[in-house]
Amino acid sequence: MGNIILFLITITIMGLSLYFIYSASKKSNSLAEKISYIILAIVDSTILIIYYLDRFNVPTELGWNINVNTQNWLNFIATYTTGIISAGIAALVSVFVTIYQIKKNNEENDKRDKENFRIQNMPLLKYDCVQGRNTSVELTQLETNIEEDKGVIQQITLSLKNIGLNSIRKYYIKIKSNILKREYIFEIAKENVVEKGQEVIIPFVLRLKIEEIYNFKITLYYQDLVFNIYEQDVILEYKLSNVNDGLNYYSNYKFMVQEEKQIDDFPKMEIENIT
């Protein structure tokens, strides 16, 4: 009775194993994986079949041992079975290692192709301060902490030139400084796409003191034609001289441009429009 129960349990476990192997092979779209599952099923089945043939003395009951040296055949079967199992395991390992390497190579190739495509569509901005140029947008006033009797009104005109490989379709500019009363964030008019080689002139007017050095942190958020979004920080060091042309004071300035970095989305911010 115990043998029958043990036999039924073993058959049930074997049946479930084969069922799961079959289900996994049906779901797989890879021929190599299907072959691996078939080898696994054969290996599992072979072990159990040989075990129960020997346990219930089936060859003797069927007369298969007549005129046969059973010991030699058992040794042969054991050696043969071990070889099958070893070969099966080696084949499985080899197949899965190959699949993993192919998958890894494909992922790296896809990643490299996407990166190359991104670089081919990546804008690159050049920053400058200019005077006497036709502006691309209206003049915007920035409020500073300087009292009216202690400073002069000066126009700072930013030049943003796209020297990259493709156009910018959407962009924002953020300006902050300890001299400003607040942080300013502007969206340049949406229709003003910055094409390759195009320059945008953005004027700001503010009160500054002569012969003092001011630092402005300018952050650009912009999007290329394939919807990659970038953020770039620029430090503008600005100093007014005491010489003017009757309209604006001459200035000394320099830009410290940090490398742009790709971001997932535009940050949430309260935006003012520059038209």
Side-chain angles (χ1 to χ4, degrees):
M1 185 65 180
N3 289 337
I4 296 175
I5 295 174
L6 180 61
F7 176 76
L8 292 176
I9 292 174
T10 306
I11 293 298
T12 301
I13 294 174
M14 179 179 175
L16 290 173
S17 300
L18 293 177
Y19 172 76
F20 286 125
I21 292 173
Y22 173 77
S23 299
S25 65
K26 290 287 287 185
K27 294 179 182 178
S28 174
N29 296 321
S30 170
L31 178 60
E33 288 185 3
K34 290 180 181 292
I35 294 174
S36 299
Y37 289 129
I38 292 173
I39 293 174
L40 182 61
I42 293 173
V43 169
D44 289 344
S45 302
T46 301
I47 294 173
L48 287 175
I49 289 172
I50 293 175
Y51 172 76
Y52 279 106
L53 284 176
D54 186 43
R55 180 180 180 84
F56 295 106
N57 205 17
V58 173
T60 301
E61 296 294 334
L62 296 178
W64 292 353
N65 62 339
I66 299 175
N67 297 325
V68 173
N69 188 329
T70 56
Q71 190 62 41
N72 289 340
W73 272 106
L74 286 173
N75 291 335
F76 170 76
I77 292 173
T79 303
Y80 182 72
T81 304
T82 303
I84 291 177
I85 294 173
S86 300
I89 293 174
L92 287 175
V93 171
S94 176
V95 167
F96 282 111
V97 168
T98 302
I99 292 173
Y100 173 79
Q101 290 177 339
I102 292 174
K103 184 178 179 181
K104 193 70 175 177
N105 288 337
N106 289 339
E107 289 176 352
E108 291 177 356
N109 290 337
D110 289 341
K111 184 177 180 180
R112 184 177 63 250
D113 292 342
K114 289 179 180 178
E115 181 66 12
N116 289 336
F117 184 68
R118 183 186 70 81
I119 292 174
Q120 290 171 5
N121 287 276
M122 180 179 174
L124 182 63
L125 291 173
K126 180 181 178 182
Y127 301 85
D128 200 0
C129 285
V130 296
Q131 289 184 349
R133 300 277 299 276
N134 292 329
T135 60
S136 306
V137 295
E138 293 182 357
L139 184 69
T140 301
Q141 183 173 356
L142 306 179
E143 296 182 357
T144 68
N145 299 320
I146 301 174
E147 298 177 2
E148 292 185 5
D149 59 344
K150 294 184 179 180
V152 297
I153 298 297
Q154 174 73 4
Q155 178 175 314
I156 298 178
T157 306
L158 293 178
S159 165
L160 308 178
K161 186 173 183 180
N162 180 13
I163 59 173
L165 299 176
N166 218 324
S167 302
I168 296 174
R169 63 181 302 274
K170 185 177 183 181
Y171 56 108
Y172 304 89
I173 181 171
K174 179 171 70 175
I175 302 177
K176 61 188 300 186
S177 172
N178 57 3
I179 195 66
L180 297 177
K181 287 186 176 181
R182 62 184 178 90
E183 181 180 90
Y184 290 86
I185 302 175
F186 303 100
E187 179 182 12
I188 312 301
K190 293 182 180 178
E191 61 270 21
N192 288 348
V193 174
V194 185
E195 298 180 356
K196 177 182 177 181
Q198 183 180 350
E199 183 180 20
V200 178
I201 308 297
I202 306 174
F204 299 100
V205 62
L206 67 168
R207 182 175 293 276
L208 299 174
K209 291 182 179 180
I210 295 175
E211 297 295 337
E212 287 199 14
I213 297 175
Y214 299 99
N215 289 316
F216 299 91
K217 182 179 180 181
I218 303 171
T219 303
L220 268 291
Y221 302 97
Y222 54 95
Q223 188 177 58
D224 63 18
L225 295 182
V226 289
F227 302 98
N228 295 306
I229 301 174
Y230 301 91
E231 174 184 353
Q232 186 170 41
D233 291 328
V234 180
I235 303 299
L236 169 61
E237 185 180 283
Y238 196 86
K239 179 182 178 181
L240 286 181
S241 72
N242 55 10
V243 181
N244 67 74
D245 59 3
L247 181 62
N248 284 297
Y249 286 83
Y250 293 106
S251 61
N252 297 313
Y253 62 88
K254 65 178 179 180
F255 286 94
M256 290 166 281
V257 182
Q258 299 182 13
E259 187 174 352
E260 71 281 341
K261 57 184 178 181
Q262 189 176 3
I263 56 178
D264 295 330
D265 200 358
F266 289 108
K268 294 181 180 180
M269 45 193 175
E270 296 182 4
I271 299 169
E272 306 171 51
N273 289 323
I274 300 181
T275 56

